[in-house]
Amino acid sequence: DEDDPELDEMMEFFKFSHNRSNKYDGTAQFRLKYKDGKEKWRSVRVHPEKGITVFEGNPPDGKVSCKISMERDVFFEVYLGKVHPRSAIMGGKCYVHSFAFREVSNMANSFDVSTQKWIDFYAWRDATKAAKLEPLPLTTIEQPQLLFQQQLQPSDQPLEPSSLTNINIDSFN
């Protein structure tokens, strides 16, 4: 299975951008088709208190609330805001299995995909790399942006990599 760093980054962003005020509890499975004919599946479990868990393929318990099939590039166009999900569905570029449109909508509303959230994500990711912390596990993370924001709040001074050395990555699990 070939690596897809952009897909991995999107899964990290899902973990980072989870909006806990949305009480959605379920698992969406994305079946992404690549130009070479291969497919990758990612199951994104959303829980209002436990956060986000991402599985390659099916989740271990097999519970999936909705399945969405599309080309990999369409997936990114939708989640980067270049194509409205409704247009992708109506245009035949995205297929929602079992007509679970409300489930897909509720799941999508569980994330803050605003420009500011992307800026915060990249700042957090870069600060994490600068502090030479281990990358986040593919499975579960508990709101890393809150910890990052706490690092920014004590002063108006720019964030120095050395100020992040006390972050315990295990606290995110």
Side-chain angles (χ1 to χ4, degrees), residues 7-20:
L7 180 60
D8 293 340
E9 180 179 85
M10 181 61 76
M11 296 300 117
E12 282 296 306
F13 180 73
F14 281 157
K15 296 173 192 177
F16 185 85
S17 67
H18 180 220
N19 179 359
R20 289 176 187 259

Side-chain angles (χ1 to χ4, degrees), residues 154-168:
S155 73
D156 295 326
Q157 299 299 318
L159 181 64
E160 295 295 325
S162 62
S163 68
L164 291 174
T165 57
N166 295 330
I167 295 177
N168 180 353

Side-chain angles (χ1 to χ4, degrees), residues 43-172:
S43 297
V44 179
R45 177 155 295 152
V46 180
H47 190 276
E49 286 133 25
K50 295 179 184 176
I52 306 299
T53 307
V54 176
F55 305 98
E56 291 186 38
N58 287 313
D61 62 8
K63 295 180 181 177
V64 176
S65 309
C66 56
K67 297 176 185 177
I68 306 111
S69 297
M70 66 186 95
E71 291 180 10
R72 178 225 182 254
D73 293 342
V74 172
F75 173 78
F76 283 96
E77 289 173 355
V78 168
Y79 279 94
L80 295 174
K82 295 179 180 178
V83 173
H84 193 278
R86 187 177 343 216
S87 298
I89 293 168
M90 298 303 284
K93 293 182 177 186
C94 177
Y95 177 73
V96 177
H97 299 253
S98 303
F99 302 103
F101 300 113
R102 183 173 303 277
E103 190 75 25
V104 171
S105 177
N106 290 339
M107 182 271 186
N109 289 330
S110 297
F111 302 98
D112 176 357
V113 294
S114 67
T115 299
Q116 185 59 53
K117 188 55 78 172
W118 276 102
I119 291 168
D120 293 346
F121 170 72
Y122 286 122
W124 172 81
R125 187 194 64 184
D126 293 347
T128 301
K129 284 181 183 178
K132 295 184 174 115
L133 296 175
E134 292 295 317
L136 297 172
L138 186 59
T139 55
T140 304
I141 184 165
E142 296 291 328
Q143 296 297 312
Q145 73 273 21
L146 296 178
L147 183 56
F148 180 67
Q149 289 168 355
Q150 289 169 358
Q151 291 288 332
L152 293 177
Q153 289 174 356
S155 73
D156 295 326
Q157 299 299 318
L159 181 64
E160 295 295 325
S162 62
S163 68
L164 291 174
T165 57
N166 295 330
I167 295 177
N168 180 353
I169 196 74
D170 295 328
S171 68
F172 295 139

